[in-house]
Amino acid sequence: MSCVTSLMNEKLLRGFTATKTFLKRLQNLSPDGSLVDIDDLKLPEKASVPSLGLSNKADDVENKDEEIPSPVVEVERQFNTNIVENLPTENELMLGTVWSEVSKLYGHGNEILAVASSPDGTLLASSCKAAAPEDAKVIIWDTKEWKEIQSLSYHRLTVTQIEFSSCGRYLLTVSRDRTWAVFHRTSDEDFIVKFHSGNLSKGFNHSRIIWSCCWVPDSLSFITGSRDKTVAIWRPVYDSDGGTLLSWERAIVFHEDDEIVAVAVEKSYLSDENIVIAIVT
């Protein structure tokens, strides 16, 4: 289990991995307790934050005698890694839920603005603030080796949000340049620009910054929200045989009283054929 974070005004991404102590606690708190065999995982027992450091580090039980002069470490030495079934105390939460930092990812020249992960967790995509096309790139990262594997270029200004489709084949980006782009994952595992809204006429595109986007669960349609106070639903367009995807067209537009800063979508609990759209203005 891994996660990635980027602090405000940072130009790098930080990769973290869960500890065995955290996973065991999570397993005991889960309704069915059905997680993988944690003891067989190659993970640190727990992690700590050094008193003079900025990065969480692995702190295996075997190395607990290492001299690190810190009040936090003194408390950690008293921390019992045996997991009980009752709810954790505040002290246990503080010490038992720290994840170990495993990598720092450098590649962007400005502050990170958007990050997304693929459904299978093997890829990350990130973007940063940009005032020129060379900075508006989207970097694809491999989470197994924690390295950059591809750089995607299309937009001219900041990419404000990135979303992988649930099938993992498409990557959707929206930007301050008022356009969206869909990158398709090829058989070679590379992403290429498949479709974009740059060639749409003015009346069929957003007229202001696109702040947000999301895929409909079927991975066929997607939704965008913009400063122009509209939410657009884009549906796929196929050839006459219905087998080749040609592009996406704007099918439905909702007009709001204020600019749209975030959109999200999920299947309706009433029917799998219906969706529920949430917006933030």
Side-chain angles (χ1 to χ4, degrees):
M1 182 182 293
S2 300
C3 75
V4 170
T5 65
S6 180
L7 300 178
M8 184 178 296
N9 298 326
E10 276 199 332
K11 301 178 183 180
L12 69 142
L13 295 168
R14 300 173 183 267
F16 294 84
T17 185
T19 63
K20 290 183 179 179
T21 298
F22 172 82
L23 291 179
K24 289 176 181 177
R25 173 68 70 181
L26 181 63
Q27 186 176 54
N28 286 334
L29 294 178
S30 62
D32 55 4
S34 58
L35 292 179
V36 298
D37 191 350
I38 297 172
D39 291 327
D40 293 337
L41 297 176
K42 294 182 180 179
L43 296 173
E45 192 67 33
K46 54 192 177 75
S48 62
V49 181
S51 57
L52 301 179
L54 298 176
S55 301
N56 301 352
K57 72 168 191 175
D59 187 16
D60 292 332
V61 174
E62 291 79 1
N63 300 327
K64 65 181 179 180
D65 294 329
E66 181 184 354
E67 275 308 315
I68 304 178
S70 167
V72 175
V73 174
E74 289 300 322
V75 176
E76 283 225 6
R77 288 175 177 172
Q78 302 172 15
F79 177 68
N80 183 6
T81 57
N82 295 325
I83 306 300
V84 293
E85 294 184 359
N86 53 349
L87 295 176
T89 63
E90 181 179 353
N91 191 50
E92 288 176 332
L93 282 175
M94 180 183 68
L95 298 175
T97 59
V98 177
W99 287 32
S100 173
E101 184 173 314
V102 293
S103 183
K104 292 182 177 69
L105 305 177
Y106 299 89
H108 292 290
N110 300 317
E111 295 90 342
I112 304 277
L113 189 69
V115 181
S117 64
S118 61
D120 59 6
T122 60
L123 298 176
L124 294 174
S126 61
S127 67
C128 71
K129 293 182 179 179
E134 55 267 25
D135 293 323
K137 63 182 179 181
V138 174
I139 297 180
I140 305 297
W141 309 88
D142 177 7
T143 60
K144 293 181 180 179
E145 301 293 334
W146 294 106
K147 65 179 182 180
E148 177 182 341
I149 59 174
Q150 194 177 0
S151 179
L152 309 179
S153 298
Y154 167 72
H155 295 287
R156 296 177 288 108
L157 297 174
T158 303
V159 173
T160 54
Q161 189 167 358
I162 309 168
E163 285 290 324
F164 284 91
S165 62
S166 59
C167 67
R169 294 177 55 200
Y170 300 107
L171 180 66
L172 172 65
T173 60
V174 293
S175 169
R176 294 181 66 94
D177 64 12
R178 308 176 184 180
T179 66
W180 55 260
V182 175
F183 297 84
H184 177 247
R185 195 174 187 180
T186 67
S187 57
D188 296 329
E189 300 299 311
D190 290 331
F191 284 92
I192 60 172
V193 180
K194 190 72 173 178
F195 310 102
H196 59 80
S197 62
N199 55 2
L200 296 180
S201 59
K202 185 176 180 180
F204 293 90
N205 207 346
H206 288 292
S207 60
R208 303 292 296 277
I209 295 169
I210 305 177
W211 283 125
S212 185
C213 64
C214 62
W215 285 96
V216 174
D218 61 8
S219 295
L220 297 177
S221 303
F222 60 86
I223 301 172
T224 55
S226 170
R227 180 179 282 180
D228 64 9
K229 304 179 183 180
T230 64
V231 176
I233 300 179
W234 305 82
R235 66 184 179 188
V237 178
Y238 296 94
D239 62 8
S240 58
D241 296 330
T244 302
L245 179 61
L246 300 178
S247 183
W248 273 269
E249 64 178 6
R250 193 174 64 175
I252 303 175
V253 179
F254 300 100
H255 295 270
E256 301 295 332
D257 295 331
D258 296 295
E259 66 175 297
I260 312 300
V261 296
V263 295
V265 63
E266 189 52 80
K267 288 183 178 180
S268 170
Y269 71 93
L270 298 175
S271 171
D272 289 340
E273 298 179 357
N274 298 327
I275 59 173
V276 176
I277 300 174
I279 64 171
V280 177
T281 61

